[in-house]
Amino acid sequence: MTQGNVGQWQKSIGDKIEPGDVLVEIETDKAQMDFEFQEDGYLAKILAPTGTKDLSVESPVAIIVENESDVAAFADYSLDQAQSGGAAAAEPTKETAAAPAAAAKAQEAAAPAASTSAPAADGSRIFASPLAKTLAKEKNIDLAQVSGTGPRGRIIKADIESFVASGASKAAAAATAASTPAPVAAAAPAAPKAAKAAPAAVDTSAGFTDIPLTNMRKVIATRLTEAKSTIPHYYLTQNITMDNVNKLRKSLNTAANGAYKLSVNDFVIKAAASALRDVPDVNSSWQGEFIRQHHHADIAVAAATPAGLITPIVKTCDAKGLRAISSDVRDLVTRARANKLKPEEFQGGSFTISNLGMYGIT
Amino acid sequence: MLCRILRKSDPESFVLYLWRNRPTIVIGRNQNPWKECNLKMMASRNVLLARRTSGGGSVYHDMGNSNYTVVMPREAFTRDKCAEMVSRALHHADIPAYVNERHDVTVEGRKISGSAFKLTNKRAFHHGTMLIDTDLGRLHGCLHSEAKDDIEALGVESVRSVVTNLREYSLSIDHLTFCQAVMREFGRTFGKLDVGRNVTVWDESDTDVVGMVEEERKRISTWKWLYGQTPRFVHRFGGVVGGKPVVAKVSVYHGHVTEVSLEYDAGQEDADDCGIFQMISDSLVDAPYVAADIRGCLGPISRESPAAAELCRWILEKIMEAASGDSA
């Protein structure tokens, strides 16, 4: 998150703020969230009123003071004074799971009404900015070990960063991973993954063999995937009694005297061809800007070859007789298996028949 | 209902909530109803106004629009996760939906769903609309305020997009099939969904459920929530009154007038004019920015003189372009 809009202020000037109190609502990129303040204090000044748009994360939104008596001093305060008064810089915050969504941290001015005495460093309370505390927690740093350079010895973000840089904490990497799923920041996605154990290196000595792909197999895979994903599929099933067809086939084959041998597949091809002639809408292909209605039934027949599946085309089945169809299929399949098909013999066709009947598949 | 689910559900759980409602314009948490909606048209067409607690812009709901909300643990939240889930659900209905860079579900470049989000310490929710068969004419009419360009507002402005209904892409999609598709995809995305045990359906006849949310419902129906939660704005308009060009600026805070400034373009105010301007301003301060209330305040002033009457009539006419909503 780099900027946000300021929503409704939930606290007014002079209100006592306790850790966890919602100060103001923040909206960024359609997400509405509450900015909770995690320290004690009194709201002295609102620098970004409700409705302020596109406020950068680094901008101060309010001033919180430790003592109620200091509130009045900020009545006429403005940001320009802060710049020239050499006050502590506002620190940007980021969205994390630990801290509630925050826009900008409250700014503390060092100069005006410094009636509070510097607290003795008696070890009972460590002064650190909310951001510094969050960072320290993330990086598993004990605040007691960090020396503060902020106002009145306060530990600020820069102190944590230099502490880390001095190499004093090695636990940084592991700890950060556990707590940071920032929804918007691009850097974050890497972190949660680091927390999971790295996958064990694969033992390739047993368990599988990688088979390189032939071009044909690559093309088949591409085309089938393309067909399945770009073309709407629907399924119709009908049981046909083939008794009469089988009778006809037997009698025709007997009369053939070896000149030909008709298979059930040939009959299916011929029947399909006739049907396509009767219903030209089915003998059509979608060409994007128009529909191509074919005048002839060019029927592709699925043939299994050692190299893969191919579908040679029997042309003009509507005008061919069973015998012609049969011999064409035989010829095409033989040459397909020998890898001797010409491109125009397997490209095109508006209807395909796959017959797995010999395996008992209907 | 949504706030209840947000606060009371198990912090680790993922909850899907699907619903629809009668014609309503729903504005975002920090939006300005005077600027975003045509309050006059809404009143005449019986379209309600609602302000939600999540951010984002204004949307139009009717029974042809279905709403989905997913409540999840805060760490699981990303802006696109649920939008993508809904897109996948639509793919199963053969609708080629995708998520655009504004996290909106879109078909062929036209928006079918708007999204908004709310984050708390432990939980987050994403909710979105889905235009299935909505009255788009009414949608456009109600979401266009005539005073839009005259109102200078802080707070969030809606970003307009071209919209379309799912009906354009499927004859069989409807609220029920949409819900079923989303439920299935929700189960696939976030874990097993036992339809028998984990799915509950409510409608208006479930009086105990209705009773549970009655207090919430009352709170979000108040004028204070709907209009009073609007960030500061200035309604600036100009015209010609009594032959002289005049400019008016009405400042409104928490839905009530804080200041009215009137001046003639050429700076030709005389003592009488200043007197009338002051009276108008004084009478309007603290009035809710609602036409009926404004009319009441200006009534006595307009009886002072013909010039005052004309000025008041013009001011009221202009204010009515924006402020024809319900009374406070």
Side-chain angles (χ1 to χ4, degrees), chain A residues 41-96:
Chain A
Y42 292 86
L43 181 58
K45 183 78 181 176
I46 291 174
L47 297 169
T50 296
T52 309
K53 280 196 271 214
D54 298 331
L55 197 64
S56 126
V57 158
E58 312 241 339
S59 322
V61 292
I63 297 181
I64 311 271
V65 295
E66 281 182 31
N67 299 318
E68 198 169 9
S69 46
D70 295 335
V71 172
F74 285 89
D76 299 312
Y77 191 80
S78 77
L79 267 181
D80 311 314
Q81 286 176 270
Q83 256 74 41
S84 56
E91 292 153 8
T93 57
K94 53 184 197 258
E95 284 177 343
T96 65

Side-chain angles (χ1 to χ4, degrees), chain B residues 25-36:
Chain B
I25 294 277
V26 182
I27 58 176
R29 173 67 179 96
N30 299 307
Q31 290 206 297
N32 183 323
W34 290 276
K35 192 174 166 84
E36 296 291 333

Side-chain angles (χ1 to χ4, degrees), chain A residues 5 7-8 25 27-34 36 50-51 53 101 181 183-184, chain B residues 29-30 53-56 79 102-104 115 117-119 153-157 229:
Chain A
N5 300 335
Q8 294 294 333
E25 294 176 14
E27 183 171 341
T28 179
D29 197 10
K30 300 194 267 195
Q32 175 73 14
M33 45 206 145
D34 297 332
E36 290 176 12
T50 296
K53 280 196 271 214
V184 185
Chain B
R29 173 67 179 96
N30 299 307
T53 53
S54 55
R79 279 176 176 74
R102 297 203 72 241
H103 320 292
D104 292 329
S115 293
F117 317 97
K118 178 144 170 79
L119 310 172
L154 298 177
V156 172
E157 272 179 49
Q229 286 283 308

Side-chain angles (χ1 to χ4, degrees), chain A residues 31 66 87-88 114 118-120 138 156 161 170 175 182 189 200 234 248 253 268-269 276 301 317 350 359:
Chain A
E66 281 182 31
E138 272 174 21
I156 57 176
E161 283 172 346
K170 290 189 199 125
Y234 62 96
L248 178 60
N253 281 341
V268 174
I269 294 172
L276 287 170
V301 179
C317 294
S350 59
Y359 301 109

Side-chain angles (χ1 to χ4, degrees), chain A residues 126-138:
Chain A
I126 297 175
F127 287 97
S129 70
L131 179 59
K133 282 185 189 165
T134 311
L135 265 176
K137 187 168 159 203
E138 272 174 21

Side-chain angles (χ1 to χ4, degrees), chain A:
Chain A
M1 175 182 161
T2 53
Q3 62 184 30
N5 300 335
V6 179
Q8 294 294 333
W9 278 90
Q10 301 295 335
K11 295 285 179 188
S12 319
I13 306 289
D15 280 357
K16 185 175 195 315
I17 315 285
E18 273 159 24
D21 278 355
V22 176
L23 266 189
V24 63
E25 294 176 14
I26 300 292
E27 183 171 341
T28 179
D29 197 10
K30 300 194 267 195
Q32 175 73 14
M33 45 206 145
D34 297 332
F35 174 27
E36 290 176 12
F37 195 65
Q38 298 300 349
E39 299 207 327
D40 292 300
Y42 292 86
L43 181 58
K45 183 78 181 176
I46 291 174
L47 297 169
T50 296
T52 309
K53 280 196 271 214
D54 298 331
L55 197 64
S56 126
V57 158
E58 312 241 339
S59 322
V61 292
I63 297 181
I64 311 271
V65 295
E66 281 182 31
N67 299 318
E68 198 169 9
S69 46
D70 295 335
V71 172
F74 285 89
D76 299 312
Y77 191 80
S78 77
L79 267 181
D80 311 314
Q81 286 176 270
Q83 256 74 41
S84 56
E91 292 153 8
T93 57
K94 53 184 197 258
E95 284 177 343
T96 65
K105 183 194 153 303
Q107 174 181 11
E108 262 212 338
S115 54
T116 48
S117 54
D122 58 7
S124 59
R125 184 176 169 173
I126 297 175
F127 287 97
S129 70
L131 179 59
K133 282 185 189 165
T134 311
L135 265 176
K137 187 168 159 203
E138 272 174 21
K139 295 180 191 293
N140 253 342
I141 294 171
D142 181 3
L143 280 172
Q145 295 179 9
V146 182
S147 55
T149 61
R152 285 186 262 124
R154 195 176 166 88
I155 299 171
I156 57 176
K157 174 184 167 206
D159 299 321
I160 303 286
E161 283 172 346
S162 51
F163 186 79
V164 170
S166 73
S169 66
K170 290 189 199 125
T176 326
S179 63
T180 336
V184 185
K193 300 220 175 72
K196 297 194 200 121
V202 178
D203 177 19
T204 50
S205 61
F208 61 84
T209 314
D210 286 337
I211 302 165
L213 298 171
T214 59
N215 275 335
M216 188 176 186
R217 204 157 274 298
K218 281 186 201 167
V219 172
I220 291 172
T222 311
R223 287 283 167 262
L224 274 176
T225 311
E226 197 183 350
K228 200 70 180 172
S229 54
T230 60
I231 302 171
H233 281 57
Y234 62 96
Y235 306 97
L236 305 166
T237 319
Q238 189 160 63
N239 289 332
I240 310 274
T241 316
M242 293 291 275
D243 296 357
N244 287 344
V245 175
N246 278 330
K247 269 194 213 147
L248 178 60
R249 184 169 78 92
K250 274 208 183 81
S251 72
L252 282 175
N253 281 341
T254 316
N257 270 336
Y260 55 83
K261 185 158 184 247
L262 301 174
S263 69
V264 172
N265 207 34
D266 301 325
F267 280 86
V268 174
I269 294 172
K270 183 65 190 170
S274 305
L276 287 170
R277 194 189 50 227
D278 289 349
V279 190
D281 281 357
V282 178
N283 196 15
S284 306
S285 50
W286 183 263
Q287 301 289 343
E289 299 292 313
F290 57 91
I291 293 172
R292 174 158 292 164
Q293 208 171 72
H294 301 278
H295 295 157
H296 295 290
D298 296 335
I299 297 183
V301 179
T305 75
L309 180 78
I310 199 152
T311 51
I313 303 163
V314 184
K315 305 255 187 216
T316 331
C317 294
D318 51 313
K320 285 183 180 158
L322 283 163
R323 179 174 170 170
I325 289 173
S326 181
S327 81
D328 280 359
V329 170
R330 218 176 289 272
D331 168 55
L332 286 165
V333 171
T334 312
R335 283 193 292 120
R337 291 200 176 123
N339 210 3
K340 289 207 171 84
L341 283 177
K342 292 183 231 133
E344 63 268 19
E345 287 175 315
F346 58 87
Q347 283 167 357
S350 59
F351 198 85
T352 306
I353 297 178
S354 301
N355 186 1
L356 292 160
M358 60 286 256
Y359 301 109
I361 297 167
T362 50

